[in-house]
Amino acid sequence: MSAATMDVLVSLAKRRGFIFQSSEIYGGTGSCWDYGPLGVELKNNIKRVWWRDFVHQRDDMVGLDASILMHAMVWKASGHIDHFTDPMVDCRECQHRFRADQIDERDWTHYCPATKGNKFTIKAGEPCKHCGARRTLCPDCGKGELTAPRQFNLMFKTFMGPVEEDAAVTYLRPETAQGIFVNFDNVLQSTRRKLPFGIAQIGKAFRNEITPGNFIFRSREFEQMEIEFFVNPHERLDGRPADEVWHDRWIAECQAWFTRYGLAADNVKLHEHGRDELAHYSKRTVDLLYKFPMGWSELMGIANRTDFDLKQHSKFSGKSLTYFDEERKEHLVPFVIEPSAGVDRALLAFLLDAYQEEEVRGEKRVVLRLHPELAPIKIAVLPLLKKRAEIVATCHDLRRRLTRRWLTLYDDTAAIGRLYRRQDEVGTPYCVTVDVKTVGDADKGEAGDGKVTIRERDTMEQIRVPIADLETVFARLLDAGASWREIAAGYPRAEG
Ligand code: GAP
């Protein structure tokens, strides 16, 4: 498990400008979160890398950006109006609302009759040690009876246009997937694609979760990165149905992607849905689980949705959503493999896995070992002496040049040791320090050597590099995948 507890991470995220509670000055909005200056960079980097790897670098994928508000019939056809529900119960005393299927996973409050009514908080699922009672009342207040379970639809309802009437009802999309299905034919006709091919989309989704929580793990407004990969169900690959083979391939691709960008392999595992867990549209679903501080939980799902969605939309819209198989001379409805990941959950997992505390020269160092491609800031340019105008001017000049290609920050608000620690704590992979030797001392007639110190975050090693080499060095490190070891071997070490 990651060294970080959720509390530690929440505190770091707020302190350093990654994530803030939404509308905090008004007391906060239930389970909505705002991404601050560093959070938005990290989130954009995750989305950019995902899009690059799964859309641009493959010749069997295209992208889409569908609207959030869609025709209400979309949600009837997809089954969301009838089935996208959670069973909920209410406390008749304190009015708190719980998911009926998760109520026994919470610690519960008990006024024990065997101890003159003393109040205890008892671990989830366990009986009272004194009287042996099990929870029947509200787990929060310990007093109220609970209502019978009722189905609660998780979609946010709203009205399209100026009149709030039934005919104007629509919903904020609870998944990006349906925007892809309803555009299947548009994409097919406009791109002349052949099966198999996929359509990817990144965008906001909204769910009125009954029990959101665990920071950004389950919120009411979140972002998804989804792929609908369309496959010819009549084709066979290696003697197996093509949809089953592609499902296995996507599971492997997704798992490899998360570990490539930093999640420890031990912290990721697969979970095969049992028959009773499968969604109504799914032939097979496998979840990628991550070892979050609250336990193994879903990071993403990879489902074989068969031809369910295209057939439903065809039935409800009256439009044909088929593909013409030239070889077999037949119209068919493709099967769909759906890798569906949450951006916010991915971001949480990357942060947790990157977080480390260590002792350096008797002091605690907090470091976010984020993959350089994900790190919000790639390079920090720091002056060793901010009183020396030539040093500061050189820093600003370097920052301006480097930031054209890699987000680069200048900071002079503390002594160099503290500046390094601040960058470690937000995951900046490289710091460049300009000092007296770089610029020289005109008063003493000393010329500068035109070299700066590059410090690497993980090893804290420092090398001395000519300013003229900086862009080549960072292009190798940040764009071409060269290792620090390779680069450091070509330059003299600098004093720590
Ligand atoms: N189109 C399929 C679909 O939406 P899902 O398992 O409901 O499947 C996919 O959601 C992913 O979206 C989840 O694995 C998770 O990463 C993310 N996700 C779902 N609900 C979320 C929520 N309330 N808050 C944050 N992320 C969520």
Side-chain angles (χ1 to χ4, degrees):
M1 193 178 290
S2 158
T5 63
M6 204 65 101
D7 286 347
V8 164
L9 202 80
V10 172
S11 149
L12 173 91
K14 176 165 184 197
R15 191 161 32 84
R16 300 310 314 274
F18 281 93
I19 301 164
F20 309 123
Q21 170 77 68
S22 161
S23 314
E24 192 179 358
I25 60 168
Y26 287 100
T29 320
S31 285
C32 293
W33 300 93
D34 296 344
Y35 287 81
L38 293 183
V40 67
E41 298 296 339
L42 175 57
K43 201 178 187 203
N44 284 343
N45 289 343
I46 292 171
K47 292 189 283 187
R48 186 181 46 78
V49 168
W50 186 90
W51 194 265
R52 182 193 64 201
D53 294 350
F54 289 126
V55 184
H56 289 178
Q57 293 200 338
R58 297 178 62 114
D59 54 15
D60 55 2
M61 291 283 303
V62 292
L64 181 80
D65 184 14
S67 62
I68 289 173
L69 296 173
M70 301 172 74
H71 198 290
M73 282 305 280
V74 168
W75 308 111
K76 185 72 189 160
S78 66
H80 282 83
I81 287 181
D82 297 324
H83 301 296
F84 197 56
T85 54
D86 276 339
M88 100 204 161
V89 291
D90 292 301
C91 171
R92 293 188 198 281
E93 188 79 21
C94 69
Q95 320 304 329
H96 274 181
R97 183 164 276 189
F98 308 92
R99 260 179 70 170
D101 54 338
Q102 290 179 350
I103 200 162
D104 286 326
E105 291 164 21
R106 312 166 60 102
D107 293 352
W108 57 287
T109 304
H110 178 51
Y111 292 89
C112 175
T115 61
K116 299 186 183 154
N118 281 346
K119 182 180 173 186
F120 296 101
T121 301
I122 300 177
K123 284 244 161 298
E126 289 181 9
C128 171
K129 271 192 252 150
H130 306 284
C131 69
R134 290 194 170 271
R135 187 204 61 76
T136 51
L137 301 174
C138 170
D140 270 6
C141 71
K143 292 179 178 160
E145 298 275 349
L146 298 174
T147 60
R150 279 178 294 148
Q151 289 303 324
F152 172 78
N153 196 295
L154 301 184
M155 283 195 294
F156 281 98
K157 226 183 222 183
T158 185
F159 297 94
M160 192 86 93
V163 187
E164 294 195 359
E165 59 184 15
D166 282 354
V169 165
T170 189
Y171 303 88
L172 299 189
R173 69 180 177 200
E175 61 173 14
T176 62
Q178 299 304 324
I180 299 181
F181 295 127
V182 299
N183 277 296
F184 169 73
D185 199 51
N186 284 334
V187 174
L188 188 64
Q189 298 308 330
S190 57
T191 63
R192 318 304 305 171
R193 288 273 154 178
K194 298 270 172 272
L195 291 181
F197 74 92
I199 305 176
Q201 174 162 226
I202 299 179
K204 291 261 184 179
F206 305 82
R207 296 183 189 177
N208 199 2
E209 302 279 3
I210 302 170
T211 46
N214 285 315
F215 194 28
I216 54 172
F217 178 83
R218 180 169 284 110
S219 50
R220 294 196 167 106
E221 175 180 340
F222 55 97
E223 257 184 297
Q224 289 186 313
M225 308 185 278
E226 295 202 294
I227 293 169
E228 305 302 330
F229 195 79
F230 300 95
V231 180
N232 186 334
H234 302 149
E235 213 174 280
R236 295 184 80 79
L237 294 172
D238 307 328
R240 295 170 60 206
D243 60 304
E244 295 180 10
V245 173
W246 274 107
H247 196 183
D248 285 340
R249 286 181 186 168
W250 275 109
I251 294 165
E253 291 264 351
C254 293
Q255 190 166 8
W257 189 84
F258 276 104
T259 48
R260 187 179 331 143
Y261 290 103
L263 299 193
D266 287 351
N267 289 341
V268 179
K269 71 176 183 187
L270 298 177
H271 165 70
E272 183 88 35
H273 280 217
R275 278 185 163 279
D276 51 335
E277 273 177 282
L278 279 183
H280 58 283
Y281 52 72
S282 175
K283 171 174 164 183
R284 180 187 174 215
T285 296
V286 172
D287 286 343
L288 215 60
L289 306 185
Y290 179 73
K291 210 190 247 184
F292 286 98
M294 65 280 189
W296 286 101
S297 312
E298 180 184 330
L299 181 58
M300 72 172 296
I302 305 125
N304 182 342
R305 292 180 81 121
T306 66
D307 53 9
F308 175 84
D309 302 272
L310 289 180
K311 278 192 169 158
Q312 285 293 103
H313 287 302
S314 185
K315 185 169 133 195
F316 279 77
S317 68
K319 300 278 186 313
S320 160
L321 296 177
T322 56
Y323 170 87
F324 186 66
D325 181 347
E326 303 275 358
E327 212 177 294
R328 296 177 181 81
K329 302 284 177 241
E330 62 175 358
H331 289 276
L332 59 91
V333 182
F335 267 34
V336 175
I337 306 303
E338 181 193 62
S340 172
V343 180
D344 314 76
R345 252 180 228 188
L347 186 145
L348 180 60
F350 284 129
L351 274 180
L352 285 162
D353 224 286
Y355 182 95
Q356 265 164 19
E357 290 176 7
E358 51 192 41
E359 206 180 291
V360 176
R361 291 187 213 110
E363 278 185 34
K364 183 168 114 175
R365 173 171 101 121
V366 171
V367 55
L368 279 187
R369 291 204 154 93
L370 286 170
H371 189 288
E373 292 229 51
L374 302 188
I377 301 162
K378 310 296 183 209
I379 305 162
V381 180
L382 313 171
L384 199 71
L385 279 178
K386 71 170 174 179
K387 287 189 199 134
R388 289 284 301 271
E390 314 91 283
I391 291 182
V392 172
T394 306
C395 284
H396 284 304
D397 182 49
L398 286 180
R399 193 204 72 82
R400 262 193 304 275
R401 275 165 46 195
L402 295 172
T403 209
R404 284 191 215 124
R405 295 176 69 180
W406 310 282
L407 184 57
T408 303
L409 170 128
Y410 169 81
D411 190 6
D412 67 4
T413 55
I416 192 71
R418 168 90 46 109
L419 294 179
Y420 283 150
R421 291 289 181 273
R422 278 193 200 152
Q423 295 305 320
D424 290 343
E425 207 185 25
V426 299
T428 306
Y430 304 106
C431 291
V432 169
T433 307
V434 179
D435 56 26
V436 180
K437 274 204 274 172
T438 314
V439 295
D441 191 334
D443 292 346
K444 293 186 187 158
E446 289 168 11
D449 65 3
K451 294 179 180 170
V452 290
T453 300
I454 303 181
R455 173 189 183 266
E456 197 262 346
R457 176 195 68 201
D458 295 348
T459 57
M460 293 183 288
E461 283 170 9
Q462 302 185 9
I463 55 174
R464 197 78 183 159
V465 177
I467 287 177
D469 286 8
L470 273 187
E471 288 191 48
T472 315
V473 163
F474 285 125
R476 289 181 63 199
L477 283 168
L478 292 166
D479 300 341
S483 69
W484 171 253
R485 192 177 291 269
E486 281 169 61
I487 298 295
Y491 294 96
R493 290 288 167 94
E495 292 292 303

